Structure formats: structure tokens, C-alpha cells
Amino acid sequence: MTSPLPSSPPASVLDLAPVVPVVVVTDAADAVPLARALVAGGLPAIEVTLRTPVALDAIRAIAAQVPDAVVGAGTVLSPEQVADSVAAGARFLVSPGWTDVLLDAMKASGVSFLPGVSTTTEVVALLERGVREMKFFPAQAAGGTAYLKSLAGPLPQARFCPTGGIGPASAPEYLALPNVGCVGGSWMLPQDAVAGRDWGWIEALAREAAALRPPLG
């Protein structure tokens, strides 16, 4: 049995679960059962990417009908998308990169956010602006665990959600790092399972992903 999500989630999305599913919804009717399967498997934080025309409808449906889910918007690229996502019910925002304009909009949104970084300079720039939690993207292509290990010494105050090219085999290596709170990925959402609406399969894969964090101590 999965432990129920607290009525008020932690201040950081990085602390909700070891894995944040990155979801691309092409049929809005799939959003609610898919979210329920992920939550039942122990993955309450769900990033719905704004890559499809129905993404905002999906966020709206999950926010209204899956109370144990903490739904967020991914691939956020503009202040307009920030506003639309929050209006739809997104409780966190994720961007693949950031600009001053986009960062200002996310900071003013009233919800948690993870701006994307792939270089030390970007990390330092965000720290200067008071942002300590970030998305590391594209994780594998940008240097993977070796790069994040190198950042932990000089920049221990920065925490990351690495995303991009991570699967069940590599996720534990990331999760073992002191500056990684969670990882993002979509391996628990195989195309065949989504197309076949096999929510039981997705729930089982989500449960496996939720158990990937190495034990403490």
C-alpha cells in the first residue's frame, strides 16, 4: 500500500518523491486515469509538459479530479505560459532553460518552480537571484552524475532535479548525490501502456520508480 500524500505537500517539489514523471498528454481523457495510476504507485508530483494542445486541459482535469496529485507544468517557455499554467491549476513550473523575463514571471507566479540549467554560470546566476532549486537539463548530455558531483563542492546550496536521458538503471546514481532531490523521467510511461490505457502497468512501473532512492545511512 502506498502511504497517502500529506494534506499539505512539502515546500519543495524535490522532496515529494524520488522521481517526477514527465508526462506528454495527447488525449485529455487519459489525464485523470494516468495521474491516478502514478499517484497509486507512489509518484504524486506529475509534470505535464506543454508540448501538446491539450496539455492545459490535462492539468486542469488532474488538479480538479486527482486531489492527491501535485500537478505541474513542464516545458514552460514564456510568461504567458506561466500565467496559463497557474490558472489551470499547476502547483509547480518547470522550464528547460531560463531568461530574466521568464524567471521573473515564475518568481511572481506564487507557485514552486524549477528553472533549467546546464552550466555552472547559469547555476551561479540563479543563486545570485535567490533561486536554489533547479532542473539540470539535459542531464546525461550535459555531463551526468560526474558534472553534478563537481558542482556539489563549490556550490552545495544548489539542489537539482536532473532530467533528460535518465532511466531506471541510472536514476539511483543520481539520487545518491547530495545535491539531487529527485530525477525527472518518462520510463514509467511506455508508449504501449499509454496507448493501450494499461493503467495497471503504469502503476506497477511507478511503484518500481518510487522505490529507487537508495536507503539512508
Side-chain angles (χ1 to χ4, degrees):
M1 293 269 311
T2 303
S3 299
L5 185 69
S7 57
S8 57
S12 169
V13 68
L14 270 64
D15 298 322
L16 281 169
V19 180
V20 175
V22 179
V23 180
V24 180
V25 179
T26 56
D27 185 340
D30 292 340
V32 167
L34 189 155
R36 286 176 175 157
L38 292 172
V39 171
L43 301 181
I46 301 170
E47 176 189 335
V48 177
T49 68
L50 302 183
R51 302 180 196 172
T52 68
V54 301
L56 290 173
D57 290 334
I59 291 171
R60 193 173 293 110
I62 294 169
Q65 300 180 52
V66 192
D68 287 342
V70 179
V71 64
T75 322
V76 176
L77 300 175
S78 69
E80 292 77 18
Q81 288 184 326
V82 168
D84 290 344
S85 298
V86 174
R91 295 169 65 183
F92 66 93
L93 307 168
V94 184
S95 66
W98 64 276
T99 65
D100 287 331
V101 171
L102 179 57
L103 184 65
D104 287 345
M106 290 193 292
K107 291 180 76 170
S109 70
V111 301
S112 300
F113 58 93
L114 295 172
V117 297
S118 60
T119 68
T120 307
T121 298
E122 292 170 317
V123 175
V124 172
L126 285 177
L127 291 173
E128 281 187 351
R129 290 161 173 79
V131 178
R132 296 190 174 189
E133 297 186 344
M134 313 164 194
K135 171 180 178 175
F136 180 56
F137 177 83
Q140 289 290 89
T145 55
Y147 196 94
L148 288 172
K149 285 179 184 177
S150 298
L151 292 181
L155 302 170
Q157 63 272 53
R159 295 181 73 211
F160 301 95
C161 174
T163 306
I166 299 175
S170 58
E173 299 174 10
Y174 283 94
L175 293 169
L177 298 178
N179 55 351
V180 170
C182 63
V183 300
S186 57
W187 71 85
M188 73 298 299
L189 299 162
Q191 289 185 356
D192 289 348
V194 176
R197 294 178 168 83
D198 191 338
W199 311 126
W201 183 8
I202 290 174
E203 179 181 338
L205 292 174
R207 186 169 288 108
E208 292 175 1
L212 284 176
R213 188 185 301 280
L216 297 175

